[in-house]
Amino acid sequence: MLAAALALSASSTLGKKADVPVPNARAVQWTVKAQEALAAGNITQARDAYETALLLAPQDPGIYMALGKIARLQKMPGKAIRYFGRALEIDPDNQTALQGEGLAMMDKGATESARETLAKLRTICKQSCASAEPLVAAIAAGAPKVAAADKVPAPRMPEAN
């Protein structure tokens, strides 16, 4: 009888997401500092505070999300993609992380990868997908244009005698 009750108890937890861990109080303090720095316009200080929070709470997808957004602000799309990707490893159905990842891909000029991310996002949304709209607009606008460097004439080589 006890074995049956234990088996029933164990089977009822299958398929459920793991319990969300209790937030680390020190990580929360650093996150608050980061938010304050960001509100004051100090992006570097905000990034540093979020990175400290991340050391204290490495399984918090919100911290990765914030760092991804900061990386985009700092024009570091590769880093942003990595942060959003890490948030997605922790929470694969995170629509905001998919949106951020896709937008960072567009920042990098990876249009095809952004389209694949948009397809994943639409699969998760199922109905109308407001979180897909910014990514749809970015894809429609195309990859960012890189300004061509002014053409500088090649140096003349001395003639051999």
Side-chain angles (χ1 to χ4, degrees), residues 65 68-69 72 77-88 94-122 131-144:
M65 295 289 299
K69 290 174 185 176
R72 283 197 68 219
K79 199 172 213 178
I81 291 166
R82 284 191 300 278
Y83 282 130
F84 289 122
R86 184 65 181 112
L88 288 165
N94 187 324
Q95 294 178 21
T96 307
L98 279 167
Q99 176 197 68
E101 182 182 59
L103 291 171
M105 288 173 177
M106 286 306 298
D107 294 342
K108 193 171 177 110
T111 305
E112 196 54 41
S113 295
R115 283 190 181 112
E116 291 170 10
T117 299
L118 177 60
K120 288 180 199 171
L121 182 54
R122 285 183 168 156
S131 57
E133 292 173 14
L135 184 51
V136 169
I139 291 170

Side-chain angles (χ1 to χ4, degrees), residues 21-140:
V22 175
N24 178 310
R26 289 184 52 217
V28 171
Q29 290 172 341
W30 281 103
T31 299
V32 169
K33 287 180 184 181
Q35 292 166 345
E36 291 169 351
L38 203 52
N42 191 335
I43 296 172
T44 302
Q45 186 179 1
R47 184 197 63 224
D48 292 346
Y50 275 123
E51 286 176 348
T52 301
L54 186 61
L55 292 172
L56 299 165
Q59 292 301 313
D60 185 336
I63 298 171
Y64 288 103
M65 295 289 299
L67 285 166
K69 290 174 185 176
I70 288 173
R72 283 197 68 219
L73 287 172
Q74 293 183 315
K75 308 284 187 230
M76 294 189 270
K79 199 172 213 178
I81 291 166
R82 284 191 300 278
Y83 282 130
F84 289 122
R86 184 65 181 112
L88 288 165
E89 288 174 13
I90 298 167
D91 180 10
D93 294 337
N94 187 324
Q95 294 178 21
T96 307
L98 279 167
Q99 176 197 68
E101 182 182 59
L103 291 171
M105 288 173 177
M106 286 306 298
D107 294 342
K108 193 171 177 110
T111 305
E112 196 54 41
S113 295
R115 283 190 181 112
E116 291 170 10
T117 299
L118 177 60
K120 288 180 199 171
L121 182 54
R122 285 183 168 156
T123 300
I124 290 171
C125 288
K126 297 185 178 27
Q127 298 292 327
S128 66
C129 193
S131 57
E133 292 173 14
L135 184 51
V136 169
I139 291 170

Side-chain angles (χ1 to χ4, degrees), residues 144-150:
K145 308 293 185 254
V146 178
D150 291 337

